């Protein structure tokens, strides 16, 4: 089973600042099968990034993804108030389709 | 518009059974693999199970293997999760998810809460 480890667990930032979220895999995975999701309280997760670096439909360009192999990054430039949420990375290249434990982005 | 609507959640007894349903609309249901993902209260996302387009191929996470059964009725555009031998640790919101190998888990239902307690 591929284990995804996200860091930090909690990130405290102010609107307008930039955020960098990390996702590290226990083994190399194809970038094609690395996705990022955003989840707000009481809501279902929403696909943000697919294929490690491609924004899903309707996702603002302040969200970007990068990385390869075992290290992947979600970057949010110029945080907006609506961006504060929990973010999960996921690999769907092999079963089980594991998620990271999440990074909670909170307003400072 | 793609819609996934789960139902069937509620209170289940330890050792008992529940069946979840997910009604799909707005897309050709039979063209997509479908998954179930769960989230215990205050916890992260955990993949549960998946099923191929025609139902012939199914996979389960180890904690539910042998107890849960995923199935689908393409004529009714509905995905199911039969949950047997329920345990307290099965308490979670269960999400129905549409999958594509290109996008990943691209559409999620709103979730249905399963609580296992006596």
């Amino acid at each position: 089973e591929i284990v995804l480890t996200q860091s930090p667990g909690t990130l405290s930032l102010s609107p307008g600042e930039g955020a960098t979220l990390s996702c590290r895999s226990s083994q190399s995975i194809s970038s094609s099968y690395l996705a990022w999701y955003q989840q707000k309280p009481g809501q279902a997760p929403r696909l943000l990034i697919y294929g490690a670096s491609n924004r899903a439909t309707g996702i603002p360009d302040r969200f970007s993804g990068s990385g390869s192999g075992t290290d992947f990054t979600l970057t949010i430039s110029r945080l907006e108030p609506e961006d504060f949420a929990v973010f999960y990375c996921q690999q769907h290249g092999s079963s089980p389709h594991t998620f990271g434990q999440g990074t909670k982005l909170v307003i400072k | 518009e793609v819609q996934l609507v789960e139902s069937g959640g509620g209170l289940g007894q330890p050792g008992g059974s529940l069946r979840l349903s997910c009604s799909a609309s707005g897309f050709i249901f039979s063209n997509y693999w479908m998954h179930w993902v769960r989230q215990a209260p205050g916890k992260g996302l955990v993949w549960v199970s998946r099923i191929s387009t025609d139902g012939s191929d199914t996979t389960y996470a180890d904690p539910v293997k042998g107890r849960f059964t995923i199935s689908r009725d393409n004529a009714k555009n509905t995905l199911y999760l039969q949950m047997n031998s329920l345990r307290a640790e099965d308490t979670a919101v269960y999400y129905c998810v549409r999958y594509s190998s290109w996008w990943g888990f691209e559409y999620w239902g709103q979730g249905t809460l399963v609580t296992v307690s006596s």
Side-chain angles (χ1 to χ4, degrees), chain B residues 8-34:
Chain B
L11 180 63
Q13 298 283 324
S17 299
L18 283 174
R19 188 175 86 152
L20 306 184
S21 300
C22 171
S23 178
S25 61
F27 65 101
I28 301 173
F29 181 69
S30 59
N31 283 358
Y32 291 87
W33 284 65
M34 297 295 294

Side-chain angles (χ1 to χ4, degrees), chain A residues 33 37 39 43-45 47 50 57 88 90 92 95-97 99, chain B residues 35 39 44-45 47 50 59 95 99 101-105 108-109:
Chain A
Y33 300 114
Y37 303 86
Q39 187 179 32
Q43 296 184 16
L47 177 66
Y50 66 95
T57 304
Y88 297 93
Q90 184 216 21
H92 56 94
S95 183
H97 297 332
F99 292 89
Chain B
H35 294 241
Q39 186 171 37
L45 303 170
W47 176 81
R50 68 176 181 181
T59 314
Y95 294 102
Y99 174 76
S101 59
W102 180 252
W103 298 86
F105 286 20
W108 297 65

